[in-house]
Amino acid sequence: MERRAAGIEAVNFYGGSAYLDVGTLARYRGLDNERFGNLLMLEKSVAMPFEDPVSFAVNAAKPIVDALSEAERDSIEMLITCTESGIDFGKSLSTYVHDYLGLSRSCRLFEVKNACFSGTAGFQNAVNFVLAQVSPGAKVLVVTTDIARFKATAGGAGLEEDWLFAEPTGGAGAMAMLVSDTPHIFSVDIGANGSHGYEVMDTCRPVPDSEAGSADLSLMSYLDCCEAAYRDYERKVEDVDYATTFDYLAFHTPFGGMIKGAHRTMMRRVCKAKGPAIAADFQQRVVPGLTYCQRVGNIFGGTVFLSILSTIAHADLSAPRRLGVFSYGSGCCSEFYSGVVTAESRRRVEAIDVESILRGRHGLTIDQYLQLMKEGEVIEFGTRDVELRLDVIPEVLDTISGTDRLVLSRVDDYHREYQWV
């Protein structure tokens, strides 16, 4: 019997045009040093007013599409955009992405919203479409795209106290993945999935531009789901050992400290491990997947895939390695699944040169960041008409000029218009 395969054939990351050193932000906000240090964060990508989920998505996916032949582009029969930063209650942002990527008009396109689980929901949908072979050789383009915008209070650029420690972790970015039956980068273990979900009001967006909830409840729900989803995986897959089956572990990463706590909890509960062994295992199996997340922040549905990308870039892939993956979305739904990465995975990821992408962002001063908190309100959800200034921070415009990336230029009667710079 022919062996079936599915997973990520090609991948790309887009982290925006600007970032902020979160240590600088913490000092400005007067955050407790020890508590801030536990976040394990270094930088976060910051969206400019002329950047939105559509422009992020297109800029992530365009290098993948441009590298394909015309026949290969036409084999993309499904486009799935995954976001909790939607721009309209009805119109899918996938329509804009489809248009600016020049994909075939026979391509099915739609949007998935399920908090931070949206990326995995879209990815698993794509994997199952490929495995079903209803259209042999067809590919699926999955794009996760999200932007965290923190609003200033009425008094200026301050924040509500409850969100002061969330601010350093909220990033902006997009992950694009071409899913097919030739998974050069990440080959999923078919049928090896464990799920767990239930209704909980941990975090939510009761209005489009504002987040609410309980950080403590979210942490408890995450930990509960991490173990329960793995236990479901364990029931379905024979001879699984959390400590030895997976060479590396990639987690949905709101911030690094949360993952350190989740890993510690799992090692204690599942493996009955003690302190020194847990610390060593964290460095060996988990830290490779945190490296990029520490410099981008939480990009919601795409964060778990950024962790996979980071693992591939920093792991020892001298032989094929099995990667255990945990995805979580508030509200809540979670999944534990796995797949195999190889030296070929590393070669293709190195060609993306994520380090150069991260270094290419403009480093914002705290004054520039506070300015953006005010300017960003101009394109809040439901904006009907607006002209966007590309030179709101001239240094950022200088950084992106001539890079052939898409930016939002205006909104005309709710219709978003973009231009290449």
Side-chain angles (χ1 to χ4, degrees), residues 140-260:
V140 183
L141 182 61
V142 179
V143 190
T144 75
T145 179
D146 273 298
I147 290 173
R149 295 193 191 275
F150 291 88
K151 280 191 172 184
T153 61
L159 285 175
E160 296 293 336
E161 186 174 352
D162 289 349
W163 294 104
L164 286 177
F165 279 94
E167 186 185 13
T169 70
M175 289 289 302
M177 298 163 284
L178 190 64
V179 178
S180 76
D181 58 7
T182 54
H184 301 303
I185 291 176
F186 179 77
S187 181
V188 298
D189 291 326
I190 298 170
N193 308 75
S195 298
H196 190 74
Y198 56 94
E199 196 283 320
V200 60
M201 203 66 171
D202 55 343
T203 65
C204 61
R205 293 194 183 188
V207 293
D209 300 310
S210 181
E211 194 164 338
S214 166
D216 289 340
L217 181 59
S218 187
L219 174 59
M220 293 302 102
S221 179
Y222 185 104
L223 294 177
D224 178 36
C225 284
C226 192
E227 181 179 3
Y230 169 74
R231 295 295 191 188
D232 191 45
Y233 177 101
E234 195 175 46
R235 282 191 290 271
K236 297 174 181 177
V237 183
E238 292 183 359
D239 301 322
V240 174
D241 185 311
Y242 188 81
T244 61
T245 298
F246 313 104
D247 300 290
Y248 294 94
L249 296 165
F251 292 82
H252 167 57
T253 308
F255 55 92
M258 187 169 178
I259 305 316
K260 189 173 185 178

Side-chain angles (χ1 to χ4, degrees), residues 44 47 63 80 85 112 132 137 163 193 207 255 285 306 311 322 329 348 358 366 376:
K44 72 169 195 165
I80 308 173
S85 305
V112 173
W163 294 104
N193 308 75
V207 293
F255 55 92
R285 294 200 294 165
L306 184 60
T311 301
R322 174 155 283 106
R348 290 174 181 263
L358 296 174
I366 195 68

Side-chain angles (χ1 to χ4, degrees), residues 89-167:
F89 283 122
K91 181 177 173 63
S92 168
L93 63 84
S94 65
T95 57
Y96 290 104
V97 177
H98 175 269
D99 184 34
Y100 282 94
L101 292 177
L103 298 180
S104 166
R105 293 213 169 183
S106 61
C107 176
R108 178 183 296 145
L109 51 144
F110 58 95
E111 181 176 318
V112 173
K113 187 270 290 180
N114 201 318
C116 297
F117 185 72
S118 63
T120 292
F123 175 67
Q124 295 293 1
N125 191 312
V127 166
N128 289 329
F129 173 79
V130 170
L131 290 174
Q133 288 291 292
V134 293
S135 182
K139 304 177 190 294
V140 183
L141 182 61
V142 179
V143 190
T144 75
T145 179
D146 273 298
I147 290 173
R149 295 193 191 275
F150 291 88
K151 280 191 172 184
T153 61
L159 285 175
E160 296 293 336
E161 186 174 352
D162 289 349
W163 294 104
L164 286 177
F165 279 94
E167 186 185 13

